[in-house]
């Protein structure tokens, strides 16, 4: 979705290469955040101006450009871009800069709000879990993959927003995750000396205060064979002598350590130690994730669990694993290879082979994109042939012929689906896919010694979710495990499968309409954080 939005933006008013805009007026100098709308599609944008230089960026599209020229036409400020006759024309009124985005393609609108830029260390000071008097939490965390932006997540309602600083203590957010206007919520952080100790939270006429739950974070390193992994250990500050622990496993790709929308902070606030780490070959970790099998990645997590066992603050018999997406396969596999595993949590993955899962995903995404049944079946036939090539090059000539036939079709170019393959037999992508695509999770699931929690969002490919649920139940019951509810106590031989209505892959609730960009998302599925954390703490 992000790439399709960017394609429209490029065609509409940022087509070509670099573009820029600059403003020498003192009223526009500083930091701005907001949205550019073109033909109903919104893109999150930031504008940074200092004197006669600056940068326009669209962080979620991984795009930025230097600002170049500015002029004032009456009461309007006109920002122009390089190479192409496009402009942002608007008025600055107080802390808002809004107007029209024009160019050779479709015109649009923009609305930016003045913000303040804070250093990473300053932002890090706010991260953590804050508890309201009713025992519920608001979680402040860094936005993964978007440096310099914090998010807040209400653990009870699931409401989630990016938050932006007005001052060194006060932040604001808008009506959706990355929609900033109109401002709907203000957070003011409270300090005692240099420590952040709480926050006041105002939304509309409702005001609440929350106390920050103390924790400590330690940089750590541990070994899996000759691979050194670098991470962060989050420890609760409590009087308990021995904490339970959990190792977070990664999603696909080059994943760095993260506490996942503040989930790690909530677990620490409930008394659990949390270990996160950079995937092998990413950040400060050594190795190469592109050459790793699922077993290799699971053994990295097992090495993390053994590292926790060596810590005197952690109970060596109460350590579990948590994973989202690819981590939905890795967490149970790690638990099956760690005899003392207390539990495993698999979110949005883990029951079918990745190859089968990706076929369900392609079918659903093409249907949502409006392709007819014939096109969808052609796409699935090609993807199935590509999967055969992953196993063996026996049908290579047939694959090349079909690839040349379909590579210019609209469905082949749809982003976010796993339909494309290289045109060379020696391309490293084939070897990378071969290491994981046909991993069968059933043996690991059947051999688990502790309880398992499997979570899906209903709209994460509905047919795929139904097939996954059936496969999980089949594997677990065949191994003599018993199904329980997420609010119950499964014991060592129990398992839970929870499907949340309207949840998508990352367990956010699908925005309305469903095809809308994820930046318009407003919340995680209600109950997710509370139920998931309660279940892990009970183990």
């Amino acid at each position: 979705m992000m790439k399709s939005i960017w394609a429209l933006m490029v065609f509409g008013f940022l087509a070509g290469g670099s573009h820029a805009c600059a403003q020498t007026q003192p009223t526009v100098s500083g930091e701005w955040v907001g949205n550019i709308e073109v033909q109903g599609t919104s893109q999150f944008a930031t504008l940074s101006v200092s004197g006669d230089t600056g940068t326009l960026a669209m962080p979620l599209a991984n795009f930025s450009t230097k600002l170049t020229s500015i002029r004032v036409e009456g009461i309007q400020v006109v920002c122009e871009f390089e190479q192409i006759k496009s402009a942002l024309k608007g008025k600055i009124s107080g802390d808002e800069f809004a107007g029209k985005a024009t160019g050779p393609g479709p015109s649009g609108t923009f609305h930016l709000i003045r913000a303040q830029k804070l250093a990473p260390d300053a932002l890090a000071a706010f991260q953590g879990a804050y508890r309201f008097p009713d025992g519920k939490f608001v979680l402040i965390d860094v936005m993964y993959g978007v440096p310099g932006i914090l998010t807040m997540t209400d653990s009870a309602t699931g409401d989630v927003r990016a938050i932006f600083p007005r001052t060194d203590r006060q932040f604001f957010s808008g009506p959706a995750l990355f929609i900033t206007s109109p401002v709907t919520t203000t957070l003011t952080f409270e300090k005692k000396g240099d420590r952040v100790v709480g926050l006041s939270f105002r939304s509309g006429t409702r005001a609440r205060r929350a106390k920050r739950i103390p924790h400590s974070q330690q940089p750590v390193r541990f070994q899996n064979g000759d691979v050194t992994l670098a991470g962060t250990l989050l420890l609760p500050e409590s009087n308990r002598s021995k904490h339970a622990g959990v190792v977070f496993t990664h999603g696909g790709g080059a994943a760095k350590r993260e506490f996942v929308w503040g989930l790690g902070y909530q677990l620490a606030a409930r008394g659990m130690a949390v270990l996160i780490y950079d995937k092998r070959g990413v950040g400060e970790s050594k190795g190469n994730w592109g050459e790793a099998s699922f077993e290799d990645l699971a053994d990295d997590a097992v090495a993390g669990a053994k590292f926790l066992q060596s810590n005197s603050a952690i109970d060596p018999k109460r350590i579990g694993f948590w994973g989202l997406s690819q981590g939905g396969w890795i967490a149970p596999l790690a638990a099956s290879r760690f005899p003392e595993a207390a539990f495993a949590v698999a979110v949005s993955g883990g029951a079918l082979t990745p190859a089968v899962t990706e076929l369900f995903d392609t079918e659903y995404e093409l249907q949502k994109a409006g392709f007819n049944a014939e096109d969808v079946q052609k796409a699935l036939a090609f993807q199935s042939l590509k999967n055969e090539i992953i196993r063996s090059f026996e049908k290579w000539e047939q694959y090349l012929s079909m690839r040349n036939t379909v590579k210019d079709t609209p469905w082949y170019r749809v982003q976010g689906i796993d339909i494309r393959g290289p045109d060379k037999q020696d391309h490293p992508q084939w070897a990378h896919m071969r290491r994981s695509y046909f991993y069968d999770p059933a043996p690991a699931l059947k051999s688990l010694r502790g309880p398992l929690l499997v979570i899906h969002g209903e709209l994460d490919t509905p047919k795929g979710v139904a097939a996954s649920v059936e496969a999980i139940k089949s594997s677990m019951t065949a191994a003599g495990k018993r199904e329980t509810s997420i609010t119950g106590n499964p014991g060592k031989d129990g398992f839970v499968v929870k499907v949340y209505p309207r949840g998508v892959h990352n367990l956010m609730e699908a925005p309305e309409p469903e095809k809308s960009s994820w930046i318009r998302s407003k919340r995680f599925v209600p109950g997710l954080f509370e139920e998931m954390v309660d279940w892990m703490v009970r183990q």
Side-chain angles (χ1 to χ4, degrees):
M1 177 61 76
M2 291 309 306
K3 291 184 180 178
S4 63
I5 291 174
W6 176 236
L8 176 60
M9 298 301 295
V10 169
F11 183 76
F13 71 98
L14 291 178
S18 302
H19 310 282
C21 158
Q23 168 69 307
T24 58
Q25 301 295 314
T27 53
V28 81
S29 290
E31 306 296 319
W32 302 83
V33 297
N35 299 92
I36 299 173
E37 306 270 347
V38 177
Q39 292 187 326
T41 300
S42 183
Q43 180 64 279
F44 173 69
T46 65
L47 179 63
S48 178
V49 179
S50 177
D52 59 356
T53 63
T55 302
L56 174 70
M58 295 179 183
L60 306 184
N62 196 28
F63 171 84
S64 65
T65 181
K66 297 297 182 182
L67 311 177
T68 56
S69 62
I70 180 69
R71 66 179 184 273
V72 177
E73 296 180 351
I75 61 173
Q76 287 195 321
V77 175
V78 182
C79 297
E80 294 185 329
F81 300 84
E82 286 180 344
Q83 297 184 8
I84 187 169
K85 195 65 176 178
S86 297
L88 299 180
K89 296 182 180 181
K91 297 179 184 178
I92 296 176
S93 178
D95 290 332
E96 299 189 23
F97 182 21
K100 189 174 183 180
T102 62
S107 296
T109 61
F110 72 95
H111 195 132
L112 305 176
I113 299 175
R114 191 183 295 276
Q116 180 172 326
K117 188 172 185 177
L118 297 182
D121 287 349
L123 293 175
F126 301 116
Q127 293 170 224
Y130 296 73
R131 184 157 49 205
F132 293 113
D134 62 3
K136 305 302 182 184
F137 293 92
V138 62
L139 311 171
I140 307 298
D141 201 358
V142 67
M143 177 70 188
Y144 177 69
V146 190
I149 294 179
L150 295 180
T151 62
M152 67 171 179
T153 304
D154 186 314
S155 70
T157 66
D159 288 349
V160 59
R161 301 288 188 273
I163 60 174
F164 307 97
R166 285 194 188 278
T167 69
D168 61 353
R169 294 191 187 188
Q170 189 178 87
F171 288 67
F172 68 91
S173 69
L177 178 58
F178 272 101
I179 304 295
T180 64
S181 180
V183 172
T184 58
T185 302
T186 300
L187 287 83
T188 304
F189 290 91
E190 301 167 1
K191 287 188 175 182
K192 182 177 289 185
D194 292 333
R195 292 189 305 117
V196 177
V197 297
L199 63 78
S200 60
F201 179 97
R202 179 173 293 278
S203 181
T205 60
R206 187 184 185 194
R208 293 187 292 168
R209 297 185 69 185
K211 179 182 177 182
R212 188 170 188 255
I213 308 303
H215 67 264
S216 65
Q217 289 184 210
Q218 304 171 3
V220 298
R221 278 179 164 74
F222 55 95
Q223 294 288 133
N224 176 21
D226 60 355
V227 176
T228 301
L229 299 154
T232 300
L233 177 60
L234 181 65
L235 284 170
E237 289 190 5
S238 70
N239 295 324
R240 183 178 296 174
S241 58
K242 295 281 189 178
H243 301 291
V246 59
V247 180
F248 277 23
T249 62
H250 305 94
K256 291 186 178 180
R257 69 190 86 173
E258 62 169 322
F259 287 121
V260 192
W261 303 94
L263 172 64
Y265 293 118
Q266 185 175 359
L267 286 166
R270 296 287 301 276
M272 294 185 71
V274 182
L275 175 64
I276 59 174
Y277 57 97
D278 297 331
K279 201 176 204 175
R280 56 166 61 194
V282 181
E284 298 177 33
S285 289
K286 305 303 182 183
N288 186 337
W289 65 268
E291 296 179 356
S293 65
F294 275 10
E295 288 78 9
D296 294 329
L297 298 176
D299 285 345
D300 288 347
V302 169
K306 291 178 179 178
F307 172 79
L308 291 182
Q309 285 185 318
S310 69
N311 190 309
S312 61
I314 296 171
D315 187 337
K317 295 183 179 180
R318 293 193 296 148
I319 298 170
F321 300 87
W322 181 95
L324 166 68
S325 193
Q326 186 184 97
W329 283 280
I330 303 302
L333 180 57
S336 74
R337 299 164 81 90
F338 183 65
E340 301 90 347
F343 62 85
V345 180
V347 183
S348 296
L352 308 171
T353 67
V356 169
T357 301
E358 293 292 352
L359 285 168
F360 280 121
D361 181 60
T362 293
E363 180 181 23
Y364 185 51
E365 292 301 320
L366 292 181
Q367 288 172 344
K368 285 198 301 180
F371 288 94
N372 61 39
E374 182 179 0
D375 282 339
V376 172
Q377 289 308 308
K378 288 179 180 178
L380 294 177
F382 177 74
Q383 187 166 327
S384 297
L385 179 59
K386 184 205 77 173
N387 290 349
E388 290 189 56
I389 297 300
I390 295 173
R391 286 188 185 274
S392 164
F393 293 127
E394 184 177 341
K395 296 183 179 180
W396 180 255
E397 295 304 322
Q398 181 182 343
Y399 164 77
L400 277 187
S401 176
M402 193 171 183
R403 185 181 185 276
N404 288 333
T405 300
V406 305
K407 64 183 179 63
D408 294 322
T409 60
W411 52 260
Y412 186 86
R413 297 192 296 271
V414 171
Q415 298 299 318
I417 60 175
D418 190 40
I419 203 167
R420 289 165 292 279
D423 62 354
K424 303 292 185 184
Q425 289 190 28
D426 59 354
H427 195 287
Q429 185 180 345
W430 293 119
H432 172 67
M433 292 187 289
R434 194 171 298 121
R435 294 184 186 98
S436 61
Y437 258 52
F438 306 103
Y439 166 74
D440 180 6
L445 295 173
K446 292 176 181 178
S447 66
L448 286 174
R449 298 176 179 86
L452 171 69
L453 171 61
V454 178
I455 291 174
H456 281 292
E458 175 192 28
L459 298 180
D460 182 13
T461 64
K463 287 172 63 176
V465 168
S468 178
V469 169
E470 182 179 351
I472 283 283
K473 292 183 177 182
S474 175
S475 293
M476 298 302 283
T477 55
K481 312 291 186 180
R482 62 185 182 87
E483 186 175 5
T484 64
S485 74
I486 197 170
T487 57
N489 189 349
K492 283 191 174 183
D493 292 327
F495 72 97
V496 178
V497 180
K498 176 75 174 184
V499 179
Y500 285 92
R502 289 199 56 76
V504 296
H505 187 68
N506 65 2
L507 272 296
M508 285 185 186
E509 195 173 60
E512 296 285 358
E514 188 181 325
K515 292 181 181 179
S516 175
S517 166
W518 73 283
I519 71 170
R520 297 185 187 276
S521 298
K522 296 183 178 180
R523 64 180 184 178
F524 288 96
V525 289
L528 171 68
F529 279 73
E530 294 293 323
E531 291 179 334
M532 184 165 52
V533 170
D534 283 348
W535 188 91
M536 285 191 274
V537 169
R538 282 198 303 276
Q539 308 320 310

